[in-house]
Amino acid sequence: MQNLETHIKNTIRDVPDFPKPGILFKDITPIFYNQELCSAITDDFIAKLPSKPDAIVGIESRGFLFGFLVANKLGIPFVLVRKAGKLPYKTVSYEYSLEYGTAKIEMHEDALQKNWNVIIHDDLLATGGTAEAVAVLVKKLGANVAGFTFVVGLNFLNGKNKLINHSNNITCLVQY
Ligand code: AMP
């Protein structure tokens, strides 16, 4: 049987020029066709955690998938971070800069308790801008960033440099 890293890499589909010319999109959706692979990925994320966190915070929308599976298997809360205007209850928000313009993300204000140690999860680490913004939001609620987990890391974009100020516990199951 191939190792997990090879299996993930062989399953991810490269889609050139999506969503715009020049971007090689790493499409993780075929992973979800394979229950055994999803289970192995969930277990690997858990095995790589230095200690049990108080919650997993997942980033809309692909960060909800393994984020929730990991949280549920650990028996801890899963918290959704969404783009502004999507969450129904009272929220805290954070606006951050993108290459062009800005983006705003939100979390329910009662989602995290003070001093909780949380893991921030997304499918892919590119420039790190999104995960860093989530780290700021987590800290706004008085919780601690215990680490970041991603299925894929695009090392050539140096996203880890942005996250290291918040936690140096950064896991990418596969890297390019
Ligand atoms: P960033 O804030 O630059 O780290 O971008 C991370 C977010 O953008 C993640 O939620 C990814 O899903 C998405 N993303 C950025 N680049 C890619 C790519 N090449 N393939 C797939 N998703 C990407």
Side-chain angles (χ1 to χ4, degrees), residues 23-26 62 122-130 154:
I23 306 279
L24 182 62
F25 194 86
K26 296 287 181 191
R62 289 180 297 273
D122 203 358
D123 66 325
L124 181 141
L125 173 64
T127 66
T130 313
L154 301 181

Side-chain angles (χ1 to χ4, degrees), residues 28 32 45 56-71 78-81 83 119-124 130 134 149-151:
I28 64 159
F32 299 100
F45 274 128
I56 306 285
V57 172
I59 306 176
E60 180 173 358
S61 56
R62 289 180 297 273
F64 293 167
L65 298 159
F66 285 112
F68 179 71
L69 286 176
V70 168
F78 175 72
V79 173
L80 291 77
V81 169
K83 289 165 192 137
I119 294 288
I120 294 170
H121 172 80
D122 203 358
D123 66 325
L124 181 141
T130 313
V134 174
T149 60
F150 304 90
V151 180

Side-chain angles (χ1 to χ4, degrees), residues 9 12-28 62 123-127 152-157 175-176:
K9 281 196 167 177
I12 288 172
R13 176 165 49 200
D14 286 351
V15 183
D17 300 318
F18 182 86
K20 55 184 182 185
I23 306 279
L24 182 62
F25 194 86
K26 296 287 181 191
D27 176 19
I28 64 159
R62 289 180 297 273
D123 66 325
L124 181 141
L125 173 64
T127 66
V152 181
L154 301 181
N155 288 347
F156 55 92
L157 293 173
Q175 320 208 31
Y176 295 91

